[in-house]
Amino acid sequence: AQRVTQPEKLLSVFKGAPVELKCNYSYSGSPELFWYVQYSRQRLQLLLRHISRESIKGFTADLNKGETSFHLKKPFAQEEDSAMYYCAQRYSNYQLIWGAGTKLIIKP
Amino acid sequence: GAGVSQSPSNKVTEKGKDVELRCDPISGHTALYWYRQSLGQGLEFLIYFQGNSAPDKSGLPSDRFSAERTGGSVSTLTIQRTQQEDSAVYLCASNPGIPPGELFFGEGSRLTVL
């Protein structure tokens, strides 16, 4: 079965430190992957998708087909990055499979 | 409105009662999803509507759950004879229906069943 795994339920790092949120997906010939973010008291929103190969709010994510990973990285964490992060993989024309989410806490 | 609107934002009910949750998608978005968000379990797909096509109900956990979408716009998720395990945040999302589109989420309806 298709599966998206986010191994860390909680990740806590100091401000200014690098952060990496892990995501592993089930093998698929041409996977389409996303990171969504939910800040406190805000709605869930798209952060970035791998096909765009863009950097949003300093975050990047590289698709590694060999390791079936799509880890989210930022070199210098900021306090406003504290949020819940979800990795998702497209499963069909309209379905996404979601990871369980990682709560990121940036300590001052 | 500018975004997906859900109501009520919070609902506390007693076990055995029926509840209705409403979602008003972004105007013009033909695709509408309902998800259930439980702590530590990610988003659980419930149902998908696309235009006038038959909905994909494959995620509904039991026959106590049903959903309608009237006129291709507003959707209502109904949970009958609520159980404590139904307590969760119910999220609605819409998109223009052209894959691979971004999902636009509402703020959710938090349901607590006592």
Side-chain angles (χ1 to χ4, degrees):
Chain A
Q2 300 277 4
R3 219 181 147 89
V4 174
T5 304
Q6 293 181 250
E8 304 134 331
K9 288 187 177 179
L10 176 66
L11 183 63
S12 182
V13 301
F14 284 102
K15 176 183 172 182
V19 61
E20 180 179 67
L21 294 101
K22 293 184 168 55
C23 173
N24 288 92
Y25 64 92
S26 299
Y27 175 76
S28 171
S30 297
E32 188 176 344
L33 290 140
F34 306 82
W35 278 99
Y36 278 77
V37 61
Q38 188 169 26
Y39 301 102
S40 179
R41 298 187 183 86
Q42 294 188 30
R43 60 189 71 198
L44 192 59
Q45 58 186 291
L46 179 67
L47 179 63
L48 55 81
R49 65 185 87 181
H50 91 274
I51 57 173
S52 302
R53 299 189 63 81
E54 55 195 346
S55 174
I56 303 293
K57 299 185 179 183
F59 284 97
T60 58
D62 291 320
L63 180 62
N64 185 323
K65 290 186 177 181
E67 295 182 358
T68 60
S69 69
F70 187 57
H71 301 330
L72 184 68
K73 300 178 183 179
K74 185 169 182 176
F76 307 103
Q78 299 174 313
E79 288 185 65
E80 55 265 32
D81 297 328
S82 295
M84 193 75 182
Y85 291 80
Y86 292 94
C87 182
Q89 178 184 9
R90 185 165 298 284
Y91 172 63
S92 70
N93 281 347
Y94 56 86
Q95 282 261 39
L96 294 177
I97 298 176
W98 297 82
T102 298
K103 184 172 183 177
L104 176 64
I105 296 174
I106 307 301
K107 297 178 286 189
Chain B
V4 177
S5 178
Q6 290 188 246
S7 61
S9 55
N10 275 289
K11 176 72 176 178
V12 179
T13 191
E14 293 179 348
K15 177 181 171 181
K17 300 282 190 184
D18 297 352
V19 296
E20 284 190 352
L21 308 176
R22 176 188 165 105
C23 173
D24 199 345
I26 293 172
S27 177
H29 281 192
T30 59
L32 186 148
Y33 302 72
W34 283 99
Y35 288 95
R36 182 163 66 178
Q37 183 182 33
S38 303
L39 195 61
Q41 296 187 25
L43 274 68
E44 176 188 3
F45 168 76
L46 297 178
I47 190 168
Y48 166 77
F49 296 91
Q50 171 57 55
N52 295 321
S53 302
D56 177 354
K57 304 180 181 181
S58 61
L60 294 178
S62 77
D63 58 8
R64 296 186 296 104
F65 287 72
S66 62
E68 290 184 339
R69 188 178 185 191
T70 54
S73 181
V74 171
S75 176
T76 302
L77 177 68
T78 301
I79 308 173
Q80 294 178 309
R81 305 181 301 281
T82 52
Q83 303 294 312
Q84 288 184 333
E85 60 262 28
D86 299 335
S87 295
V89 176
Y90 290 82
L91 293 176
C92 176
S94 70
N95 80 6
I98 304 171
E102 171 185 353
L103 293 186
F104 296 85
F105 284 86
E107 293 183 325
S109 292
R110 180 177 296 278
L111 174 65
T112 303
V113 182
L114 302 176

